[in-house]
Amino acid sequence: MRRKSSIRWVALLATFCLVAGSCSPCYKATRLRRKAGRTSGRERHMLEGKAASLEAACLKKRDAKYESKMQKEFEEMEDKARN
């Protein structure tokens, strides 16, 4: 009984970490893609377009974060080289 309870808590904690750490636009895009898979025609095209737009925003945000991280590392290396 105790083992099942601890397994549930670990699963709940893991789920919370994944949801809290995920990108909101990426999550919304995934939901739109699933919904688009269940529809057809004009609505499907519209949902896929919205999902693509959200994914592009997510990638742009991720790229900006990566670029700022790389810029910091580069500046730290320059400072070390000067000293």
Side-chain angles (χ1 to χ4, degrees):
M1 180 75 177
R2 185 167 173 93
R3 185 172 183 214
K4 286 183 181 180
S5 177
S6 63
I7 290 174
R8 287 183 187 148
W9 277 107
V10 169
L12 182 64
L13 180 64
T15 303
F16 177 73
C17 290
L18 288 173
V19 170
S22 68
C23 179
S24 178
C26 293
Y27 178 73
K28 288 178 185 175
T30 302
R31 291 189 66 189
L32 285 174
R33 291 235 183 247
R34 285 184 191 151
K35 189 175 180 181
R38 295 187 299 260
T39 61
S40 63
R42 181 179 169 198
E43 186 178 0
R44 181 179 193 153
H45 182 70
M46 179 188 69
L47 291 171
E48 287 178 350
K50 285 182 180 180
S53 175
L54 287 171
E55 288 169 347
C58 183
L59 289 174
K60 185 177 180 180
K61 178 181 165 185
R62 198 176 297 162
D63 287 346
K65 188 185 292 186
Y66 178 75
E67 287 294 325
S68 68
K69 178 183 172 189
M70 292 305 293
Q71 183 65 30
K72 272 186 183 176
E73 289 179 12
F74 179 73
E75 289 171 359
E76 288 174 1
M77 287 186 338
E78 280 186 331
D79 290 342
K80 285 180 184 178
R82 289 180 191 156
N83 296 330

Coordinates of all heavy atoms in Angstrom, one line a residue:
M1 N 0.8 -1.2 0.0 CA 0.0 0.0 0.0 C 0.9 1.3 0.0 O 0.6 2.2 -0.7 CB -0.9 -0.1 1.2 CG -1.8 1.1 1.4 SD -3.1 1.0 0.2 CE -4.1 2.4 0.6
R2 N 1.9 1.3 0.8 CA 2.7 2.4 0.9 C 3.5 2.7 -0.4 O 3.7 3.8 -0.8 CB 3.7 2.3 2.1 CG 4.5 3.5 2.4 CD 5.2 3.4 3.7 NE 6.1 4.5 4.0 CZ 5.8 5.6 4.5 NH1 4.6 5.8 5.0 NH2 6.7 6.5 4.7
R3 N 3.9 1.6 -1.0 CA 4.7 1.7 -2.2 C 3.8 2.3 -3.4 O 4.3 3.1 -4.1 CB 5.2 0.3 -2.7 CG 6.1 0.4 -3.9 CD 6.7 -0.9 -4.1 NE 7.6 -0.8 -5.3 CZ 7.9 -1.7 -6.1 NH1 7.3 -2.9 -6.0 NH2 8.7 -1.5 -7.1
K4 N 2.6 1.9 -3.5 CA 1.7 2.5 -4.5 C 1.5 4.0 -4.3 O 1.5 4.7 -5.2 CB 0.3 1.8 -4.5 CG 0.4 0.4 -5.0 CD -1.0 -0.2 -5.1 CE -1.0 -1.6 -5.6 NZ -2.3 -2.2 -5.6
S5 N 1.4 4.3 -3.0 CA 1.2 5.8 -2.7 C 2.4 6.6 -3.1 O 2.3 7.7 -3.7 CB 0.9 5.9 -1.2 OG 0.8 7.3 -0.9
S6 N 3.6 6.0 -2.8 CA 4.8 6.8 -3.2 C 5.0 6.8 -4.7 O 5.5 7.8 -5.2 CB 6.0 6.1 -2.5 OG 6.2 4.8 -3.0
I7 N 4.6 5.8 -5.4 CA 4.7 5.8 -6.8 C 3.8 6.8 -7.4 O 4.1 7.6 -8.3 CB 4.4 4.4 -7.4 CG1 5.5 3.4 -7.1 CG2 4.2 4.5 -8.9 CD1 5.3 2.0 -7.5
R8 N 2.6 7.0 -6.8 CA 1.7 8.0 -7.3 C 2.2 9.4 -7.1 O 2.1 10.3 -7.9 CB 0.3 7.8 -6.6 CG -0.5 6.7 -7.1 CD -1.8 6.6 -6.4 NE -2.5 5.3 -6.8 CZ -3.3 4.7 -6.0 NH1 -3.6 5.2 -4.8 NH2 -3.8 3.6 -6.4
W9 N 2.8 9.6 -5.9 CA 3.4 10.9 -5.6 C 4.5 11.3 -6.6 O 4.6 12.4 -7.0 CB 3.8 11.0 -4.2 CG 2.7 11.3 -3.3 CD1 2.1 10.5 -2.4 CD2 2.0 12.6 -3.2 NE1 1.1 11.1 -1.7 CE2 1.0 12.4 -2.2 CE3 2.2 13.8 -3.8 CZ2 0.2 13.5 -1.8 CZ3 1.3 14.8 -3.4 CH2 0.3 14.7 -2.5
V10 N 5.3 10.3 -6.9 CA 6.5 10.5 -7.8 C 5.9 10.8 -9.2 O 6.4 11.7 -9.9 CB 7.4 9.3 -7.8 CG1 8.4 9.4 -9.0 CG2 8.1 9.1 -6.5
A11 N 4.9 10.1 -9.6 CA 4.3 10.3 -10.9 C 3.7 11.7 -11.0 O 3.8 12.5 -12.0 CB 3.3 9.3 -11.3
L12 N 3.0 12.1 -9.9 CA 2.4 13.4 -9.9 C 3.4 14.5 -9.9 O 3.3 15.5 -10.6 CB 1.5 13.6 -8.6 CG 0.8 14.9 -8.4 CD1 -0.2 15.0 -9.5 CD2 0.1 14.9 -7.1
L13 N 4.5 14.3 -9.2 CA 5.6 15.3 -9.1 C 6.3 15.4 -10.5 O 6.5 16.5 -11.0 CB 6.6 14.9 -8.1 CG 7.8 15.9 -8.0 CD1 7.4 17.3 -7.5 CD2 8.8 15.3 -7.0
A14 N 6.5 14.3 -11.2 CA 7.1 14.3 -12.5 C 6.2 15.0 -13.5 O 6.7 15.8 -14.3 CB 7.4 12.9 -13.0
T15 N 4.9 14.8 -13.4 CA 4.0 15.5 -14.3 C 4.0 17.0 -14.1 O 4.0 17.7 -15.0 CB 2.5 14.9 -14.1 OG1 2.6 13.5 -14.3 CG2 1.5 15.5 -15.0
F16 N 3.9 17.3 -12.8 CA 4.0 18.8 -12.5 C 5.2 19.4 -13.0 O 5.2 20.5 -13.6 CB 3.9 19.0 -11.0 CG 4.0 20.4 -10.6 CD1 2.9 21.3 -10.8 CD2 5.1 20.9 -10.0 CE1 3.0 22.6 -10.4 CE2 5.2 22.2 -9.6 CZ 4.2 23.1 -9.9
C17 N 6.4 18.8 -12.9 CA 7.6 19.3 -13.4 C 7.6 19.5 -14.9 O 8.1 20.5 -15.4 CB 8.8 18.5 -12.9 SG 9.2 18.5 -11.2
L18 N 7.1 18.5 -15.6 CA 7.0 18.6 -17.0 C 6.1 19.7 -17.5 O 6.4 20.5 -18.4 CB 6.5 17.3 -17.6 CG 7.5 16.1 -17.6 CD1 6.9 14.9 -18.0 CD2 8.8 16.4 -18.4
V19 N 5.0 19.9 -16.8 CA 4.0 20.9 -17.2 C 4.6 22.3 -16.9 O 4.5 23.2 -17.7 CB 2.6 20.7 -16.5 CG1 1.7 21.9 -16.7 CG2 2.0 19.4 -17.1
A20 N 5.1 22.4 -15.7 CA 5.7 23.7 -15.3 C 6.9 24.1 -16.1 O 7.1 25.3 -16.4 CB 6.0 23.7 -13.8
G21 N 7.7 23.2 -16.6 CA 8.9 23.5 -17.3 C 8.6 23.6 -18.8 O 9.5 24.1 -19.5
S22 N 7.5 23.2 -19.3 CA 7.3 23.3 -20.7 C 6.9 24.7 -21.1 O 6.4 25.5 -20.4 CB 6.1 22.3 -21.1 OG 4.9 22.8 -20.6
C23 N 7.1 24.9 -22.4 CA 6.8 26.2 -23.0 C 5.3 26.3 -23.3 O 4.7 25.4 -23.9 CB 7.6 26.4 -24.3 SG 7.4 27.9 -25.1
S24 N 4.7 27.4 -22.9 CA 3.2 27.5 -23.0 C 2.8 27.5 -24.5 O 1.9 26.8 -24.9 CB 2.7 28.8 -22.4 OG 1.4 29.0 -22.6
P25 N 3.5 28.3 -25.4 CA 3.1 28.2 -26.8 C 3.3 26.8 -27.4 O 2.5 26.4 -28.2 CB 4.0 29.2 -27.5 CG 4.4 30.1 -26.4 CD 4.5 29.3 -25.2
C26 N 4.3 26.1 -27.0 CA 4.5 24.7 -27.5 C 3.4 23.8 -27.1 O 2.9 23.0 -27.8 CB 5.9 24.2 -27.0 SG 7.3 25.0 -27.7
Y27 N 3.0 24.0 -25.8 CA 1.9 23.2 -25.3 C 0.6 23.4 -26.1 O -0.1 22.5 -26.5 CB 1.7 23.4 -23.8 CG 0.6 22.7 -23.2 CD1 0.6 21.3 -22.9 CD2 -0.6 23.4 -22.8 CE1 -0.4 20.6 -22.4 CE2 -1.7 22.7 -22.3 CZ -1.6 21.3 -22.0 OH -2.6 20.6 -21.4
K28 N 0.3 24.7 -26.3 CA -0.9 25.1 -27.0 C -0.8 24.6 -28.5 O -1.8 24.1 -29.0 CB -1.1 26.6 -27.0 CG -1.5 27.2 -25.7 CD -1.6 28.7 -25.8 CE -1.9 29.3 -24.4 NZ -1.9 30.7 -24.4
A29 N 0.3 24.6 -29.1 CA 0.5 24.2 -30.4 C 0.2 22.7 -30.5 O -0.4 22.2 -31.5 CB 1.9 24.5 -31.0
T30 N 0.7 21.9 -29.5 CA 0.5 20.5 -29.5 C -1.0 20.2 -29.4 O -1.5 19.3 -30.1 CB 1.2 19.8 -28.3 OG1 2.6 20.1 -28.4 CG2 1.0 18.3 -28.3
R31 N -1.7 20.9 -28.6 CA -3.1 20.7 -28.4 C -3.9 21.0 -29.7 O -4.8 20.3 -30.1 CB -3.7 21.5 -27.3 CG -3.2 21.0 -25.9 CD -3.8 21.7 -24.8 NE -5.3 21.3 -24.8 CZ -6.2 21.8 -24.1 NH1 -5.9 22.7 -23.2 NH2 -7.4 21.4 -24.1
L32 N -3.4 22.1 -30.4 CA -4.1 22.5 -31.7 C -3.8 21.4 -32.7 O -4.7 21.1 -33.5 CB -3.6 23.9 -32.1 CG -4.1 25.1 -31.4 CD1 -3.4 26.3 -31.9 CD2 -5.6 25.2 -31.6
R33 N -2.6 20.9 -32.8 CA -2.3 19.8 -33.7 C -3.2 18.6 -33.5 O -3.7 18.0 -34.5 CB -0.9 19.5 -33.7 CG 0.0 20.6 -34.2 CD 0.9 20.1 -35.3 NE 1.8 21.1 -35.7 CZ 1.7 21.7 -36.9 NH1 0.8 21.3 -37.8 NH2 2.6 22.7 -37.2
R34 N -3.4 18.2 -32.2 CA -4.3 17.1 -31.9 C -5.7 17.4 -32.4 O -6.3 16.5 -32.9 CB -4.2 16.8 -30.4 CG -3.0 16.1 -30.0 CD -3.1 15.8 -28.5 NE -1.8 15.4 -28.0 CZ -1.3 15.5 -26.8 NH1 -2.1 16.1 -25.9 NH2 -0.1 15.2 -26.4
K35 N -6.2 18.6 -32.1 CA -7.5 18.9 -32.5 C -7.6 18.9 -34.0 O -8.6 18.5 -34.6 CB -7.9 20.3 -31.9 CG -9.3 20.7 -32.1 CD -9.6 22.0 -31.4 CE -11.1 22.4 -31.6 NZ -11.4 23.7 -30.9
A36 N -6.6 19.4 -34.7 CA -6.6 19.5 -36.2 C -6.7 18.0 -36.7 O -7.3 17.8 -37.8 CB -5.4 20.2 -36.7
G37 N -6.0 17.1 -36.1 CA -6.1 15.7 -36.5 C -7.5 15.1 -36.5 O -7.8 14.2 -37.2
R38 N -8.3 15.7 -35.7 CA -9.7 15.1 -35.5 C -10.7 15.9 -36.5 O -11.9 15.5 -36.6 CB -10.2 15.2 -34.1 CG -9.4 14.4 -33.1 CD -10.0 14.4 -31.8 NE -10.1 15.7 -31.2 CZ -9.2 16.2 -30.3 NH1 -8.2 15.4 -29.9 NH2 -9.3 17.4 -29.8
T39 N -10.3 16.9 -37.1 CA -11.2 17.7 -38.0 C -10.7 17.6 -39.4 O -9.7 16.9 -39.7 CB -11.2 19.2 -37.6 OG1 -9.8 19.7 -37.7 CG2 -11.6 19.4 -36.2
S40 N -11.4 18.2 -40.3 CA -11.0 18.2 -41.7 C -11.4 19.5 -42.4 O -12.1 20.3 -41.8 CB -11.8 17.0 -42.4 OG -13.2 17.3 -42.4
G41 N -10.8 19.6 -43.6 CA -11.1 20.8 -44.4 C -10.6 22.1 -43.9 O -9.4 22.2 -43.5
R42 N -11.4 23.1 -44.0 CA -11.0 24.5 -43.7 C -10.6 24.6 -42.2 O -9.6 25.3 -41.9 CB -12.2 25.4 -44.0 CG -11.9 26.8 -43.7 CD -13.1 27.7 -44.1 NE -12.9 29.0 -43.6 CZ -13.8 29.9 -43.4 NH1 -15.1 29.6 -43.7 NH2 -13.6 31.1 -43.0
E43 N -11.3 24.0 -41.3 CA -11.0 24.1 -39.9 C -9.6 23.5 -39.6 O -8.8 24.0 -38.8 CB -12.1 23.5 -39.0 CG -11.8 23.7 -37.5 CD -12.9 23.1 -36.7 OE1 -13.9 22.5 -37.2 OE2 -12.8 23.2 -35.4
R44 N -9.3 22.4 -40.2 CA -8.1 21.7 -40.0 C -6.9 22.6 -40.5 O -5.9 22.8 -39.8 CB -8.0 20.4 -40.8 CG -6.7 19.6 -40.6 CD -6.8 18.3 -41.4 NE -5.7 17.5 -40.9 CZ -5.7 16.2 -41.0 NH1 -6.7 15.6 -41.4 NH2 -4.6 15.5 -40.6
H45 N -7.1 23.2 -41.7 CA -6.1 24.1 -42.2 C -5.8 25.3 -41.3 O -4.7 25.7 -41.0 CB -6.5 24.6 -43.6 CG -5.5 25.5 -44.3 ND1 -4.3 25.0 -44.7 CD2 -5.5 26.8 -44.5 CE1 -3.6 26.0 -45.3 NE2 -4.3 27.1 -45.2
M46 N -6.9 25.9 -40.7 CA -6.8 27.0 -39.8 C -6.1 26.6 -38.5 O -5.2 27.3 -38.1 CB -8.2 27.5 -39.5 CG -8.2 28.7 -38.5 SD -9.8 29.1 -37.9 CE -10.2 27.7 -36.9
L47 N -6.4 25.4 -38.0 CA -5.8 25.0 -36.7 C -4.3 24.7 -36.9 O -3.5 25.0 -36.1 CB -6.5 23.8 -36.2 CG -7.9 24.0 -35.6 CD1 -8.6 22.7 -35.3 CD2 -7.9 24.9 -34.4
E48 N -4.0 24.1 -38.1 CA -2.6 23.8 -38.4 C -1.8 25.1 -38.5 O -0.6 25.1 -38.1 CB -2.5 22.9 -39.6 CG -2.9 21.4 -39.3 CD -2.8 20.6 -40.5 OE1 -2.6 21.1 -41.7 OE2 -3.0 19.3 -40.4
G49 N -2.4 26.1 -39.1 CA -1.7 27.4 -39.3 C -1.4 28.0 -38.0 O -0.3 28.5 -37.7
K50 N -2.4 28.0 -37.1 CA -2.2 28.5 -35.7 C -1.1 27.8 -35.0 O -0.3 28.4 -34.3 CB -3.5 28.5 -34.9 CG -4.5 29.5 -35.4 CD -5.8 29.4 -34.5 CE -6.8 30.5 -34.9 NZ -8.0 30.4 -34.0
A51 N -1.1 26.5 -35.1 CA -0.1 25.7 -34.4 C 1.3 26.0 -34.9 O 2.2 26.1 -34.2 CB -0.4 24.2 -34.6
A52 N 1.4 26.1 -36.3 CA 2.7 26.5 -36.8 C 3.2 27.8 -36.3 O 4.4 28.0 -36.1 CB 2.6 26.5 -38.4
S53 N 2.3 28.8 -36.2 CA 2.6 30.1 -35.7 C 3.1 30.0 -34.3 O 4.1 30.7 -33.9 CB 1.4 31.0 -35.8 OG 1.7 32.3 -35.3
L54 N 2.4 29.3 -33.5 CA 2.8 29.1 -32.1 C 4.2 28.4 -31.9 O 5.0 28.8 -31.1 CB 1.7 28.3 -31.3 CG 0.5 29.1 -31.0 CD1 -0.6 28.2 -30.4 CD2 0.7 30.2 -30.0
E55 N 4.4 27.4 -32.8 CA 5.7 26.7 -32.8 C 6.8 27.6 -33.2 O 7.9 27.6 -32.6 CB 5.6 25.5 -33.7 CG 4.8 24.4 -33.1 CD 4.5 23.3 -34.1 OE1 4.7 23.5 -35.3 OE2 4.0 22.2 -33.7
A56 N 6.5 28.5 -34.1 CA 7.6 29.5 -34.6 C 7.9 30.4 -33.4 O 9.1 30.8 -33.2 CB 7.1 30.2 -35.8
A57 N 6.9 30.9 -32.7 CA 7.1 31.8 -31.5 C 7.9 31.0 -30.5 O 8.8 31.6 -29.9 CB 5.8 32.2 -31.0
C58 N 7.6 29.8 -30.3 CA 8.4 29.0 -29.3 C 9.8 28.8 -29.7 O 10.7 29.0 -28.8 CB 7.7 27.6 -29.1 SG 8.4 26.6 -27.9
L59 N 10.1 28.5 -30.9 CA 11.4 28.4 -31.4 C 12.2 29.7 -31.3 O 13.4 29.7 -31.0 CB 11.4 27.9 -32.9 CG 11.0 26.4 -33.0 CD1 10.9 26.1 -34.5 CD2 12.0 25.5 -32.3
K60 N 11.5 30.8 -31.6 CA 12.2 32.1 -31.6 C 12.6 32.4 -30.1 O 13.7 32.9 -29.9 CB 11.2 33.2 -32.1 CG 11.8 34.6 -32.1 CD 10.8 35.5 -32.7 CE 11.4 36.9 -32.8 NZ 10.5 37.9 -33.4
K61 N 11.7 32.1 -29.2 CA 12.0 32.3 -27.8 C 13.2 31.4 -27.3 O 14.1 31.9 -26.6 CB 10.8 32.0 -27.0 CG 10.9 32.1 -25.5 CD 9.6 31.7 -24.8 CE 9.8 31.5 -23.3 NZ 8.5 31.0 -22.7
R62 N 13.2 30.2 -27.8 CA 14.2 29.3 -27.4 C 15.6 29.7 -28.0 O 16.6 29.6 -27.3 CB 13.8 27.9 -27.9 CG 14.6 26.8 -27.2 CD 14.1 25.4 -27.7 NE 12.8 25.2 -27.3 CZ 12.0 24.3 -27.9 NH1 12.4 23.5 -28.8 NH2 10.7 24.1 -27.4
D63 N 15.5 30.2 -29.2 CA 16.8 30.6 -29.9 C 17.3 31.8 -29.2 O 18.5 32.0 -29.0 CB 16.5 30.9 -31.4 CG 16.3 29.7 -32.2 OD1 16.6 28.6 -31.7 OD2 15.8 29.8 -33.3
A64 N 16.5 32.8 -28.8 CA 16.9 34.0 -28.1 C 17.6 33.6 -26.7 O 18.6 34.2 -26.4 CB 15.7 34.9 -27.8
K65 N 17.0 32.6 -26.0 CA 17.5 32.2 -24.8 C 18.9 31.6 -25.0 O 19.9 31.8 -24.3 CB 16.6 31.2 -24.1 CG 17.0 30.8 -22.7 CD 16.2 29.7 -22.1 CE 14.8 30.2 -21.9 NZ 14.0 29.1 -21.2
Y66 N 19.0 30.8 -26.0 CA 20.3 30.1 -26.4 C 21.4 31.1 -26.7 O 22.5 31.1 -26.3 CB 20.1 29.1 -27.5 CG 21.4 28.4 -27.9 CD1 22.0 27.4 -27.2 CD2 22.0 28.8 -29.1 CE1 23.1 26.8 -27.5 CE2 23.2 28.2 -29.5 CZ 23.7 27.2 -28.7 OH 24.9 26.6 -29.1
E67 N 21.0 32.1 -27.6 CA 21.9 33.2 -28.0 C 22.4 34.0 -26.8 O 23.6 34.3 -26.7 CB 21.3 34.1 -29.0 CG 21.1 33.5 -30.4 CD 22.4 33.2 -31.1 OE1 23.3 34.0 -30.9 OE2 22.4 32.2 -31.8
S68 N 21.5 34.3 -25.9 CA 22.0 35.1 -24.7 C 22.9 34.3 -23.8 O 23.9 34.8 -23.3 CB 20.8 35.6 -23.9 OG 20.1 34.5 -23.3
K69 N 22.6 33.0 -23.7 CA 23.5 32.1 -22.9 C 24.9 32.0 -23.6 O 25.9 32.1 -22.9 CB 22.9 30.7 -22.9 CG 23.8 29.7 -22.1 CD 23.1 28.3 -22.1 CE 24.1 27.3 -21.6 NZ 23.6 25.9 -21.8
M70 N 24.9 31.9 -24.9 CA 26.2 31.8 -25.6 C 27.0 33.1 -25.5 O 28.2 33.1 -25.4 CB 26.0 31.4 -27.1 CG 25.5 29.9 -27.2 SD 26.5 28.7 -26.5 CE 27.9 28.8 -27.5
Q71 N 26.3 34.2 -25.6 CA 26.9 35.5 -25.5 C 27.6 35.7 -24.1 O 28.7 36.2 -24.0 CB 25.9 36.6 -25.7 CG 26.5 38.0 -25.7 CD 27.4 38.3 -26.8 OE1 27.3 37.7 -27.9 NE2 28.4 39.1 -26.6
K72 N 26.9 35.2 -23.1 CA 27.5 35.3 -21.7 C 28.7 34.5 -21.6 O 29.7 34.9 -21.0 CB 26.4 34.8 -20.7 CG 25.5 35.8 -20.1 CD 24.7 35.2 -19.0 CE 23.7 36.2 -18.5 NZ 22.8 35.6 -17.5
E73 N 28.7 33.2 -22.1 CA 29.8 32.4 -22.1 C 31.0 33.0 -22.9 O 32.2 32.9 -22.4 CB 29.5 31.0 -22.7 CG 28.6 30.2 -21.8 CD 28.3 28.8 -22.3 OE1 28.9 28.4 -23.3 OE2 27.4 28.2 -21.8
F74 N 30.7 33.6 -24.0 CA 31.8 34.2 -24.8 C 32.4 35.4 -24.0 O 33.6 35.5 -24.0 CB 31.2 34.7 -26.1 CG 32.2 35.4 -27.0 CD1 33.2 34.7 -27.7 CD2 32.1 36.8 -27.2 CE1 34.1 35.3 -28.5 CE2 33.1 37.4 -28.0 CZ 34.0 36.7 -28.6
E75 N 31.6 36.2 -23.4 CA 32.1 37.3 -22.6 C 32.9 36.9 -21.4 O 34.0 37.5 -21.1 CB 30.9 38.2 -22.1 CG 30.3 39.0 -23.3 CD 29.0 39.7 -22.8 OE1 28.6 39.6 -21.7 OE2 28.4 40.4 -23.7
E76 N 32.5 35.8 -20.8 CA 33.3 35.2 -19.7 C 34.6 34.7 -20.2 O 35.7 34.9 -19.5 CB 32.5 34.1 -19.0 CG 31.3 34.6 -18.2 CD 30.5 33.4 -17.6 OE1 30.8 32.2 -17.9 OE2 29.5 33.7 -17.0
M77 N 34.6 34.1 -21.3 CA 35.9 33.6 -21.9 C 36.8 34.8 -22.2 O 38.1 34.7 -22.0 CB 35.7 32.7 -23.1 CG 35.1 31.4 -22.8 SD 34.9 30.2 -24.1 CE 34.9 31.1 -25.6
E78 N 36.3 35.8 -22.8 CA 37.1 37.0 -23.1 C 37.7 37.6 -21.8 O 38.8 38.0 -21.8 CB 36.3 38.1 -23.8 CG 36.1 37.8 -25.3 CD 35.3 39.0 -25.9 OE1 34.5 39.7 -25.3 OE2 35.6 39.2 -27.1
D79 N 36.9 37.7 -20.7 CA 37.4 38.2 -19.5 C 38.5 37.4 -18.9 O 39.5 37.9 -18.4 CB 36.2 38.3 -18.4 CG 35.2 39.4 -18.8 OD1 35.6 40.3 -19.6 OD2 34.1 39.4 -18.3
K80 N 38.4 36.1 -19.0 CA 39.4 35.1 -18.5 C 40.7 35.3 -19.3 O 41.8 35.2 -18.8 CB 38.9 33.7 -18.6 CG 37.9 33.4 -17.5 CD 37.5 31.9 -17.6 CE 36.5 31.6 -16.6 NZ 36.0 30.2 -16.7
A81 N 40.5 35.5 -20.6 CA 41.7 35.7 -21.5 C 42.4 37.0 -21.2 O 43.7 37.0 -21.3 CB 41.3 35.6 -23.0
R82 N 41.7 38.0 -20.8 CA 42.3 39.3 -20.5 C 43.2 39.2 -19.2 O 44.2 39.9 -19.1 CB 41.3 40.4 -20.4 CG 40.7 40.8 -21.7 CD 39.7 41.9 -21.5 NE 38.9 42.0 -22.8 CZ 37.7 42.5 -22.9 NH1 37.1 43.0 -21.8 NH2 37.1 42.6 -24.0
N83 N 42.7 38.4 -18.3 CA 43.3 38.3 -17.0 C 44.4 37.3 -17.0 O 45.2 36.8 -17.1 CB 42.3 38.0 -15.9 CG 41.3 39.1 -15.7 OD1 41.6 40.2 -16.0 ND2 40.1 38.7 -15.4

